[in-house]
Amino acid sequence: MASLDDYRKIVGDEIIGKIFKAATPLLGKRVIHLNSTYQGGGVAEILTSLIPLMNDVGIDVDWKILHGTLDFFTITKKFHNALQGEKLNLSEIKKRVYMECNERFSVYTHIDHDCVIVHDPQPLPLVKFFRKKQPWIWRCHVDMSNPNPELWAYLKLFILRYNEVILSNENYFKQELPVPQSCIYPSLDPLTPKNKEISDKLISKTLSKFKIPTDKPIISQISRFDKWKGTESVIEVYELVKRKVDCRLVLLGSMATDDPEGPMLYEKLTRRVMDNKDLILIAVENQILVNALQRVSSVILQKSLKEGFGLTVSESLWKGTPVVGSCVGGIPLQIIDGKNGYLVDPKNTEEWVDRVTEILRKPKLRSKMGDFGREWVKKNFLITRQLLDYINLLQRVINI
Ligand code: UDP
């Protein structure tokens, strides 16, 4: 397992020194992270790297996963959708299932830590079921630019009990919320199998294992099967691009255990790609495959309708691959239009086609964008920066 020292050669001594120094007052403090999945999606991805590093610097950090039923996760996915602006029938029954699941979990979960960090709406009500003896932080990863007002009013009942709210973008701050809000950017871990350097031999072996030929340029989107990711409309863009430049589309996706909508969308996509040899749909959880595909693609698309942050964008940029992404949520923090990719309105199909075609046709532009993208991520979106942000936050919130 990587230790903080291993990051020196990538990020330099200065930030590593800063992290150890900032962590000193927190040595031996006990912190717990609570969320609802250990696999699938950006939150699990971040916690898998962040928590061992927090321990490595000397903070005692635990991680627990809320145990949800299918009913519970069906409801919380609806809440997730509504936080991103969809309509919701907020019935008493939904509220009951939501509360009961959290209450049940609280009975066999003992919290005597110095600080509690709760991720996303699923475990949000837990704060109500404990005698609060320490600061609680709610870390929300979803695109909160335009939440459904009824749901927001309901969730506020719990949020008001928290000491701090962390969001992924300053644009999501809520003026009327009388709880301190701060922004921490998600980030990638350059040493995981998904992001580390891999050899050309391993890339070829992995692509052939998953039957991805490389005789034509590849464009791809790598995302959970979720309607917010715009995957179906990526096919539409691809079909129009292919009329101009012969290429292949790879759609790689995974499911998260807390998202029951994933398998339905996957089924729908399977029917759509049937009998098209240049359109490859893959549903496996494989970090090396993500790594290889992000490196071998000529351009990556992230055609989301809403996006809390969109870690896949930084992951692709880190590998020197330009990204054409929607100008929504956290994507504009990562794509500097014209420098490391393009930002496009998710509904403007014509512009998507033009931008993707342009990058496919211009290898020099691709390589210039690739260089810029890697530097941009190195400067802003590596895990060491997020670690330092969390340590600074804990210093402020825990009463030392
Ligand atoms: N991911 C993956 N395999 C896939 C699709 C996605 O490992 O087939 C990972 C992806 O590499 C990224 C995370 O899932 O680390 C997705 O995070 P993001 O912030 O882009 O979106 P979220 O799923 O959290 O909405």
Side-chain angles (χ1 to χ4, degrees):
M1 186 175 291
S3 102
L4 196 54
D5 309 326
D6 302 323
Y7 294 79
R8 285 177 56 204
K9 57 184 179 299
I10 300 173
V11 299
D13 287 349
E14 199 183 326
I15 181 151
I16 303 292
K18 265 191 193 164
I19 291 171
F20 279 118
K21 187 162 174 243
T24 309
L26 295 168
L27 296 181
K29 292 286 176 197
R30 300 187 59 226
V31 174
I32 182 167
H33 286 268
L34 293 155
N35 79 312
S36 62
T37 178
Y38 64 93
Q39 187 196 318
V43 181
E45 180 77 18
I46 290 164
L47 294 180
T48 303
S49 291
L50 186 71
I51 291 173
L53 288 178
M54 289 178 94
N55 278 289
D56 191 39
V57 298
I59 311 169
D60 292 347
V61 184
D62 291 334
W63 181 8
K64 286 201 174 154
I65 310 285
L66 176 74
H67 301 191
T69 56
L70 180 60
D71 275 354
F72 174 78
F73 285 133
T74 305
I75 290 165
T76 54
K77 181 66 203 277
K78 290 197 164 100
F79 283 11
H80 171 97
N81 294 344
L83 272 182
Q84 300 206 138
E86 256 191 12
K87 283 195 184 136
L88 171 77
N89 167 20
L90 186 57
S91 59
E92 287 310 311
I93 219 168
K94 287 195 183 81
K95 292 183 193 169
R96 200 170 67 227
V97 173
Y98 184 49
M99 294 300 280
E100 278 177 4
C101 184
N102 273 282
E103 184 172 18
R104 211 173 312 120
F105 182 71
S106 75
V107 171
Y108 50 78
T109 304
H110 297 281
I111 294 183
D112 54 1
H113 298 71
D114 298 298
C115 183
V116 184
I117 306 178
V118 172
H119 295 259
D120 280 340
Q122 297 91 337
L124 175 68
L126 277 178
V127 67
K128 233 184 122 118
F129 297 113
F130 286 91
R131 188 184 304 231
K132 197 168 166 241
K133 299 180 201 135
Q134 62 286 89
W136 283 56
I137 297 171
W138 186 48
R139 202 301 178 222
C140 180
H141 298 262
V142 302
D143 183 338
M144 289 262 287
S145 46
N146 183 27
N148 171 295
E150 193 189 1
L151 180 67
W152 177 241
Y154 171 61
L155 295 184
K156 249 198 311 194
L157 286 175
F158 311 113
I159 299 169
L160 288 173
R161 292 174 179 252
Y162 282 77
N163 297 72
E164 178 103 12
V165 172
I166 309 175
L167 299 158
S168 298
N169 194 325
E170 286 176 13
N171 294 339
Y172 305 157
F173 286 9
K174 297 278 163 266
Q175 285 218 324
E176 90 285 2
L177 189 67
V179 178
Q181 293 161 72
S182 49
C183 172
I184 293 185
Y185 295 143
S187 54
L188 63 85
D189 182 344
L191 297 181
T192 56
K194 182 179 289 175
N195 296 317
K196 67 178 187 189
E197 293 292 328
I198 50 171
S199 66
D200 290 346
K201 198 171 154 204
L202 180 56
I203 295 178
S204 313
K205 199 174 134 198
T206 308
L207 295 175
S208 75
K209 181 174 166 195
F210 288 96
K211 299 191 173 51
I212 304 174
T214 49
D215 55 326
K216 294 179 187 178
I218 292 175
I219 65 176
S220 41
Q221 176 160 302
I222 301 165
S223 276
R224 276 183 307 105
F225 294 115
D226 179 346
K227 62 182 168 202
W228 297 103
K229 305 291 182 183
T231 315
E232 282 188 274
S233 68
V234 169
I235 300 177
E236 198 182 318
V237 169
Y238 163 70
E239 282 164 348
L240 294 167
V241 170
K242 194 173 160 63
R243 291 185 194 165
K244 303 178 181 201
V245 181
D246 191 18
C247 59
R248 232 175 230 118
L249 173 67
V250 181
L251 295 172
L252 172 61
S254 60
M255 324 265 178
T257 49
D258 60 354
D259 180 5
E261 288 179 359
M264 284 181 277
L265 178 57
Y266 174 66
E267 279 301 306
K268 206 167 162 199
L269 289 167
T270 317
R271 288 194 292 276
R272 184 86 200 268
V273 306
M274 226 177 249
D275 299 330
N276 186 336
K277 282 207 301 294
D278 281 345
L279 216 165
I280 301 171
L281 175 68
I282 306 175
V284 292
E285 187 74 40
N286 183 311
Q287 295 213 13
I288 297 287
L289 176 60
V290 173
N291 193 335
L293 194 57
Q294 284 170 339
R295 285 177 197 279
V296 87
S297 297
S298 298
V299 50
I300 299 267
L301 280 70
Q302 191 58 57
K303 205 169 174 299
S304 309
L305 302 171
K306 291 268 181 175
E307 191 62 82
F309 182 74
L311 202 50
T312 45
V313 173
S314 278
E315 288 170 0
S316 306
L317 297 174
W318 176 243
K319 283 137 198 154
T321 305
V323 182
V324 180
S326 305
C327 47
V328 300
I331 297 178
L333 297 167
Q334 302 171 77
I335 298 181
I336 309 303
D337 194 40
K339 295 275 189 195
N340 54 6
Y342 288 115
L343 283 170
V344 182
D345 179 333
K347 297 204 174 76
N348 189 342
T349 308
E350 200 180 321
E351 198 184 340
W352 277 86
V353 175
D354 288 349
R355 294 310 199 185
V356 173
T357 310
E358 184 190 352
I359 296 177
L360 279 176
R361 280 184 174 152
K362 295 185 179 165
K364 273 197 191 141
L365 174 70
R366 215 157 60 217
S367 125
K368 215 169 130 197
M369 284 182 156
D371 292 345
F372 186 97
R374 192 173 161 86
E375 283 309 307
W376 185 250
V377 171
K378 186 172 173 185
K379 196 166 149 213
N380 299 294
F381 304 118
L382 292 188
I383 191 83
T384 35
R385 155 118 193 225
Q386 190 176 190
L387 177 63
L388 184 59
D389 287 347
Y390 264 103
I391 289 172
N392 286 333
L393 174 86
L394 287 171
Q395 262 213 46
R396 188 160 47 77
V397 173
I398 298 179
N399 204 358
I400 300 170

